Amino acid sequence: MKMVQILQTSTLFAGTTADEIASLLQCLEGRTDDYERDWAIIKEGDHTDELGIVLTGRVHITRHDFWGNRSLVADVAVGESFAEALACTALPSEVSVVTAERSTILFLNVHKIVASCQKCCLYHHTLIENMVRLLSQKNLELMKKIDHLTKRSTRDKLLSYLNSESRRQQNRTFTIPFDRQQLADYLCVERSAMSTELSRMQADGLVEYRRREFTLHHEEF
Amino acid sequence: MKMVQILQTSTLFAGTTADEIASLLQCLEGRTDDYERDWAIIKEGDHTDELGIVLTGRVHITRHDFWGNRSLVADVAVGESFAEALACTALPSEVSVVTAERSTILFLNVHKIVASCQKCCLYHHTLIENMVRLLSQKNLELMKKIDHLTKRSTRDKLLSYLNSESRRQQNRTFTIPFDRQQLADYLCVERSAMSTELSRMQADGLVEYRRREFTLHHEEF
DNA sequence: TACCCTGTGTTGGAAAAACAACATATATAC
DNA sequence: GTATATATGTTGTTTTTCCAACACAGGGTA
């Protein structure tokens, strides 16, 4: 798929035509870069003024504590973006951004997005409004993640996550972007305990699964 | 303290003079409202186009699951704001906003903030940039909260929270805005287990506390 | 002063999660 | 196809959290 087509599905460029996007990209001086799998695009402590939009592949937002425990904060798929908030502040990053597959990323300087731009393009104001919408959306997504973590038991965390994923993909049968270890890191539970709980849930008829493909049987939440 | 002085400390009006704020408030058609303690300003399921800025008092962002378990998402003090992201989307709220004390709130319509405004005020662009900064800041705060919840043990959650609060108040001795039950709801643990863990931490010399006043003894993280 | 109310700390038993070690299945490379 | 590496599931033990019930302290009030 061509870059412009992907961008039209993104929140940042929502409601703009292909021509307008082309014009905006020039104005914003965007750049693209390719990465192998497991490459750290941003490391903890880094700073950047650019947000990233995934054109191909997939990236994960991760964190490590002092004892080396990994936690997986978020999954970013094609057309989605990362580091918007980081790029809008002067602070160092508290998270890493790592490719989960070989990926192509478009980088855009947020200051060029937000700054008023008299000369170049008429569509710039749409872009600023989209930037506000994008940040709001991320905000609500983080809320949703907090919602999963708020659940006290492993089962409730799993149900909360699986239901939100089912709703997002608008299907009771869906594929998750994580393997078991990554899912455990995402929900902040222990992998083997989580596997055990998944088995119990399947035995209880709540869910069926095979590898990354899940089918929810009861509508919960 | 006068409203304009409080607003000058807020992220949204950062870098604007008192006169500019007065002009902007007219342009934005802001309104204020007073609330008794424990009043629900926003209920789960509600929608609004207005963000709120706390002028006096304090509000809490809360959530309830199906079994009635309360979770306390965030504390919002004077000069801080809430519902920015909600007001930027068309979605119903997943959280409630409840006064923790008798409070006065300034409400501002986000569309009026974000919309370009040719006629009225020159400072409007600063406002839009501040809106982006505000949303980014909220974003990073949510990240910080996720960071606390990511910790597996009650002790680590407490240390993570107490350290961040200590750093925020730039003092090893500080007062938290929660009673024990609220703190437990905020960290998503059980109150009595948390009390027990606090005792152990005090016995271990990590921390001293009396009611809401804490003193950290070791710099961790 | 005596009384209540609320917040906080303590305890012991029940339940759940973490941990470690291993078994099985699947994918990949040769 | 076989070998190898990786992903997933299982089991038994240890540790932690949850829960319920109660004890205690301090503040406010009659």
Side-chain angles (χ1 to χ4, degrees):
Chain A
M1 206 194 272
K2 282 197 68 179
M3 172 159 79
V4 170
Q5 287 179 286
I6 294 164
L7 292 181
Q8 281 186 298
T9 71
S10 73
T11 301
L12 192 56
F13 290 99
T16 53
T17 67
D19 286 348
E20 286 166 2
I21 290 177
S23 153
L24 281 165
L25 283 178
Q26 277 223 317
C27 168
L28 296 171
E29 297 172 29
R31 67 183 178 90
T32 62
D33 221 331
D34 295 308
Y35 297 90
E36 293 299 318
R37 192 189 156 157
D38 293 326
W39 247 91
I41 301 174
I42 296 174
K43 295 193 183 74
E44 293 181 44
D46 285 0
H47 180 73
T48 177
D49 290 328
E50 297 173 319
L51 64 79
I53 298 179
V54 178
L55 297 177
T56 70
R58 173 181 296 280
V59 306
H60 284 169
I61 316 294
T62 64
R63 246 192 92 87
H64 292 83
D65 66 17
F66 277 173
W67 305 273
N69 295 322
R70 182 178 60 170
S71 111
L72 212 170
V73 181
D75 169 77
V76 185
V78 167
E80 300 177 343
S81 58
F82 58 87
E84 323 81 2
L86 175 66
C88 289
T89 68
L91 300 167
S93 179
E94 311 230 326
V95 296
S96 300
V97 179
V98 181
T99 53
E101 310 167 4
R102 165 193 279 270
S103 304
T104 309
I105 311 294
L106 169 67
F107 293 98
L108 300 173
N109 188 306
V110 287
H111 300 120
K112 292 201 172 126
I113 294 176
V114 174
S116 57
C117 155
Q118 307 92 326
K119 64 173 188 347
C120 51
C121 39
L122 303 163
Y123 333 105
H124 207 118
H125 192 75
T126 306
L127 204 61
I128 295 177
E129 284 187 14
N130 280 348
M131 185 71 199
V132 168
R133 202 167 305 138
L134 174 61
L135 284 165
S136 302
Q137 207 170 289
K138 280 280 165 176
N139 223 296
L140 297 177
E141 277 171 37
L142 288 173
M143 281 289 214
K144 191 157 288 179
K145 161 117 201 200
I146 286 178
D147 204 39
H148 302 149
L149 295 183
T150 290
K151 302 290 186 297
R152 305 299 172 86
S153 68
T154 299
R155 173 174 292 211
D156 286 345
K157 283 181 181 149
L158 280 165
L159 282 175
S160 180
Y161 169 71
L162 292 174
N163 272 298
S164 82
E165 201 56 26
S166 166
R167 241 178 303 171
R168 202 174 66 76
Q169 299 186 30
Q170 302 183 307
N171 201 321
R172 288 203 177 182
T173 299
F174 53 93
T175 302
I176 65 171
F178 303 130
D179 62 31
R180 291 291 181 277
Q181 184 61 59
Q182 290 170 337
L183 180 56
D185 290 343
Y186 181 77
L187 297 177
C188 300
V189 296
E190 215 270 329
R191 182 197 61 79
S192 71
M194 189 187 74
S195 265
T196 305
E197 192 56 47
L198 276 172
S199 298
R200 266 199 290 265
M201 287 164 68
Q202 190 158 49
D204 293 350
L206 288 175
V207 66
E208 271 181 274
Y209 60 89
R210 204 186 104 82
R211 301 253 151 191
R212 294 182 176 202
E213 190 175 301
F214 287 75
T215 302
L216 277 179
H217 286 158
H218 295 299
E219 206 110 288
E220 312 235 4
F221 296 64
Chain B
M1 206 194 274
K2 283 197 67 180
M3 171 159 82
V4 171
Q5 287 180 286
I6 293 165
L7 292 180
Q8 282 187 297
T9 71
S10 73
T11 301
L12 192 56
F13 291 99
T16 53
T17 67
D19 287 347
E20 287 165 2
I21 289 177
S23 154
L24 281 166
L25 283 178
Q26 278 223 315
C27 167
L28 297 172
E29 298 171 28
R31 66 183 179 89
T32 63
D33 222 330
D34 294 309
Y35 298 90
E36 294 300 318
R37 192 187 156 158
D38 293 325
W39 247 90
I41 301 175
I42 296 173
K43 295 193 182 74
E44 293 181 44
D46 287 357
H47 180 73
T48 177
D49 289 329
E50 297 173 318
L51 63 80
I53 299 180
V54 178
L55 297 177
T56 69
R58 173 180 297 281
V59 306
H60 284 169
I61 316 294
T62 64
R63 245 192 92 88
H64 293 83
D65 65 18
F66 278 173
W67 305 273
N69 295 322
R70 183 178 60 171
S71 114
L72 211 169
V73 180
D75 168 79
V76 185
V78 167
E80 299 177 345
S81 58
F82 58 86
E84 323 81 2
L86 175 66
C88 289
T89 68
L91 300 167
S93 180
E94 311 231 326
V95 296
S96 301
V97 180
V98 180
T99 53
E101 311 168 5
R102 166 192 280 271
S103 304
T104 308
I105 310 294
L106 169 68
F107 292 98
L108 299 173
N109 188 307
V110 288
H111 300 119
K112 292 202 172 126
I113 294 176
V114 173
S116 57
C117 152
Q118 306 91 326
K119 64 173 188 345
C120 51
C121 40
L122 302 163
Y123 332 107
H124 209 118
H125 193 75
T126 306
L127 204 60
I128 295 176
E129 285 187 13
N130 281 347
M131 186 70 198
V132 168
R133 203 167 303 136
L134 174 60
L135 284 165
S136 302
Q137 208 170 286
K138 280 281 165 175
N139 221 299
L140 297 177
E141 276 169 37
L142 289 174
M143 280 288 214
K144 191 157 288 180
K145 161 115 201 202
I146 286 177
D147 205 38
H148 302 149
L149 295 183
T150 292
K151 302 290 186 298
R152 305 300 172 87
S153 68
T154 299
R155 173 174 293 210
D156 286 344
K157 283 181 182 149
L158 280 165
L159 282 175
S160 180
Y161 170 70
L162 292 173
N163 272 298
S164 82
E165 202 56 25
S166 166
R167 241 179 302 171
R168 201 175 66 77
Q169 299 187 30
Q170 302 185 309
N171 200 321
R172 290 205 176 178
T173 298
F174 54 92
T175 303
I176 65 171
F178 303 130
D179 63 30
R180 291 290 182 276
Q181 184 59 60
Q182 290 170 336
L183 181 56
D185 290 344
Y186 182 77
L187 296 177
C188 301
V189 296
E190 215 271 328
R191 182 197 61 80
S192 71
M194 188 187 74
S195 266
T196 305
E197 192 57 47
L198 275 171
S199 298
R200 265 199 290 267
M201 286 163 68
Q202 189 158 49
D204 293 349
L206 287 175
V207 66
E208 271 181 274
Y209 60 89
R210 204 186 104 81
R211 304 248 153 194
R212 293 181 176 205
E213 190 174 301
F214 287 76
T215 303
L216 278 178
H217 286 158
H218 295 299
E219 206 110 290
E220 311 235 3
F221 298 64

mmCIF file of all heavy atoms in Angstrom, chain B residues 109-124:
data_model
loop_
_atom_site.group_PDB
_atom_site.id
_atom_site.type_symbol
_atom_site.label_atom_id
_atom_site.label_comp_id
_atom_site.label_asym_id
_atom_site.label_seq_id
_atom_site.Cartn_x
_atom_site.Cartn_y
_atom_site.Cartn_z
ATOM 1 N N ASN B 109 -15.144 25.527 26.772
ATOM 2 C CA ASN B 109 -15.467 24.703 25.617
ATOM 3 C C ASN B 109 -14.217 24.480 24.768
ATOM 4 O O ASN B 109 -13.617 25.427 24.268
ATOM 5 C CB ASN B 109 -16.554 25.388 24.793
ATOM 6 C CG ASN B 109 -17.071 24.500 23.686
ATOM 7 O OD1 ASN B 109 -16.285 23.994 22.900
ATOM 8 N ND2 ASN B 109 -18.376 24.297 23.660
ATOM 9 N N VAL B 110 -13.836 23.223 24.599
ATOM 10 C CA VAL B 110 -12.585 22.954 23.881
ATOM 11 C C VAL B 110 -12.672 23.349 22.413
ATOM 12 O O VAL B 110 -11.662 23.725 21.816
ATOM 13 C CB VAL B 110 -12.143 21.476 23.945
ATOM 14 C CG1 VAL B 110 -11.650 21.125 25.321
ATOM 15 C CG2 VAL B 110 -13.225 20.552 23.488
ATOM 16 N N HIS B 111 -13.853 23.259 21.825
ATOM 17 C CA HIS B 111 -13.942 23.622 20.408
ATOM 18 C C HIS B 111 -13.629 25.095 20.207
ATOM 19 O O HIS B 111 -13.006 25.483 19.224
ATOM 20 C CB HIS B 111 -15.324 23.263 19.864
ATOM 21 C CG HIS B 111 -15.619 21.805 19.980
ATOM 22 N ND1 HIS B 111 -16.667 21.304 20.710
ATOM 23 C CD2 HIS B 111 -14.947 20.726 19.515
ATOM 24 C CE1 HIS B 111 -16.651 19.986 20.644
ATOM 25 N NE2 HIS B 111 -15.613 19.611 19.931
ATOM 26 N N LYS B 112 -14.038 25.883 21.163
ATOM 27 C CA LYS B 112 -13.708 27.309 21.088
ATOM 28 C C LYS B 112 -12.218 27.535 21.300
ATOM 29 O O LYS B 112 -11.644 28.506 20.808
ATOM 30 C CB LYS B 112 -14.511 28.088 22.124
ATOM 31 C CG LYS B 112 -16.010 28.098 21.801
ATOM 32 C CD LYS B 112 -16.739 29.240 22.454
ATOM 33 C CE LYS B 112 -18.167 29.291 21.929
ATOM 34 N NZ LYS B 112 -19.166 29.275 22.999
ATOM 35 N N ILE B 113 -11.581 26.650 22.054
ATOM 36 C CA ILE B 113 -10.139 26.780 22.247
ATOM 37 C C ILE B 113 -9.402 26.424 20.969
ATOM 38 O O ILE B 113 -8.496 27.123 20.533
ATOM 39 C CB ILE B 113 -9.651 25.853 23.396
ATOM 40 C CG1 ILE B 113 -10.227 26.313 24.736
ATOM 41 C CG2 ILE B 113 -8.128 25.816 23.452
ATOM 42 C CD1 ILE B 113 -9.889 25.417 25.899
ATOM 43 N N VAL B 114 -9.827 25.322 20.354
ATOM 44 C CA VAL B 114 -9.079 24.781 19.217
ATOM 45 C C VAL B 114 -9.421 25.495 17.909
ATOM 46 O O VAL B 114 -8.560 25.662 17.047
ATOM 47 C CB VAL B 114 -9.344 23.263 19.092
ATOM 48 C CG1 VAL B 114 -8.717 22.711 17.829
ATOM 49 C CG2 VAL B 114 -8.787 22.547 20.314
ATOM 50 N N ALA B 115 -10.686 25.894 17.765
ATOM 51 C CA ALA B 115 -11.093 26.538 16.512
ATOM 52 C C ALA B 115 -10.260 27.788 16.268
ATOM 53 O O ALA B 115 -9.921 28.509 17.197
ATOM 54 C CB ALA B 115 -12.574 26.890 16.581
ATOM 55 N N SER B 116 -9.948 28.032 15.014
ATOM 56 C CA SER B 116 -9.226 29.263 14.702
ATOM 57 C C SER B 116 -10.178 30.428 14.932
ATOM 58 O O SER B 116 -11.374 30.326 14.733
ATOM 59 C CB SER B 116 -8.749 29.251 13.261
ATOM 60 O OG SER B 116 -9.847 29.062 12.396
ATOM 61 N N CYS B 117 -9.641 31.523 15.375
ATOM 62 C CA CYS B 117 -10.466 32.628 15.840
ATOM 63 C C CYS B 117 -9.831 33.885 15.281
ATOM 64 O O CYS B 117 -8.908 34.449 15.843
ATOM 65 C CB CYS B 117 -10.466 32.604 17.376
ATOM 66 S SG CYS B 117 -10.707 34.162 18.190
ATOM 67 N N GLN B 118 -10.304 34.273 14.109
ATOM 68 C CA GLN B 118 -9.672 35.391 13.424
ATOM 69 C C GLN B 118 -9.939 36.717 14.118
ATOM 70 O O GLN B 118 -9.065 37.547 14.292
ATOM 71 C CB GLN B 118 -10.181 35.496 11.973
ATOM 72 C CG GLN B 118 -10.045 34.231 11.168
ATOM 73 C CD GLN B 118 -11.301 33.350 11.260
ATOM 74 O OE1 GLN B 118 -11.953 33.316 12.308
ATOM 75 N NE2 GLN B 118 -11.606 32.650 10.186
ATOM 76 N N LYS B 119 -11.185 36.862 14.528
ATOM 77 C CA LYS B 119 -11.595 38.191 14.937
ATOM 78 C C LYS B 119 -11.080 38.611 16.321
ATOM 79 O O LYS B 119 -10.536 39.685 16.496
ATOM 80 C CB LYS B 119 -13.121 38.314 14.889
ATOM 81 C CG LYS B 119 -13.876 37.406 15.856
ATOM 82 C CD LYS B 119 -15.363 37.740 15.825
ATOM 83 C CE LYS B 119 -16.198 37.047 16.855
ATOM 84 N NZ LYS B 119 -15.720 35.920 17.575
ATOM 85 N N CYS B 120 -11.184 37.693 17.315
ATOM 86 C CA CYS B 120 -11.163 38.216 18.678
ATOM 87 C C CYS B 120 -9.775 38.444 19.294
ATOM 88 O O CYS B 120 -9.492 39.512 19.785
ATOM 89 C CB CYS B 120 -12.014 37.361 19.588
ATOM 90 S SG CYS B 120 -11.628 35.616 19.463
ATOM 91 N N CYS B 121 -8.910 37.466 19.267
ATOM 92 C CA CYS B 121 -7.719 37.681 20.087
ATOM 93 C C CYS B 121 -6.443 37.136 19.455
ATOM 94 O O CYS B 121 -6.436 36.090 18.823
ATOM 95 C CB CYS B 121 -7.923 37.083 21.466
ATOM 96 S SG CYS B 121 -8.759 35.516 21.417
ATOM 97 N N LEU B 122 -5.406 37.868 19.674
ATOM 98 C CA LEU B 122 -4.118 37.548 19.080
ATOM 99 C C LEU B 122 -3.457 36.358 19.780
ATOM 100 O O LEU B 122 -2.627 35.671 19.206
ATOM 101 C CB LEU B 122 -3.196 38.763 19.203
ATOM 102 C CG LEU B 122 -3.732 40.036 18.562
ATOM 103 C CD1 LEU B 122 -2.994 41.257 19.078
ATOM 104 C CD2 LEU B 122 -3.611 39.932 17.044
ATOM 105 N N TYR B 123 -3.855 36.146 21.001
ATOM 106 C CA TYR B 123 -3.153 35.164 21.838
ATOM 107 C C TYR B 123 -3.703 33.770 21.623
ATOM 108 O O TYR B 123 -3.311 32.825 22.291
ATOM 109 C CB TYR B 123 -3.281 35.553 23.303
ATOM 110 C CG TYR B 123 -3.436 37.032 23.441
ATOM 111 C CD1 TYR B 123 -4.649 37.614 23.783
ATOM 112 C CD2 TYR B 123 -2.344 37.861 23.159
ATOM 113 C CE1 TYR B 123 -4.784 38.978 23.858
ATOM 114 C CE2 TYR B 123 -2.480 39.238 23.220
ATOM 115 C CZ TYR B 123 -3.695 39.794 23.570
ATOM 116 O OH TYR B 123 -3.822 41.135 23.619
ATOM 117 N N HIS B 124 -4.645 33.671 20.713
ATOM 118 C CA HIS B 124 -5.334 32.401 20.553
ATOM 119 C C HIS B 124 -4.382 31.281 20.153
ATOM 120 O O HIS B 124 -4.530 30.142 20.590
ATOM 121 C CB HIS B 124 -6.467 32.528 19.546
ATOM 122 C CG HIS B 124 -7.569 31.570 19.823
ATOM 123 N ND1 HIS B 124 -8.848 31.953 20.123
ATOM 124 C CD2 HIS B 124 -7.570 30.214 19.913
ATOM 125 C CE1 HIS B 124 -9.585 30.891 20.353
ATOM 126 N NE2 HIS B 124 -8.834 29.819 20.224
#
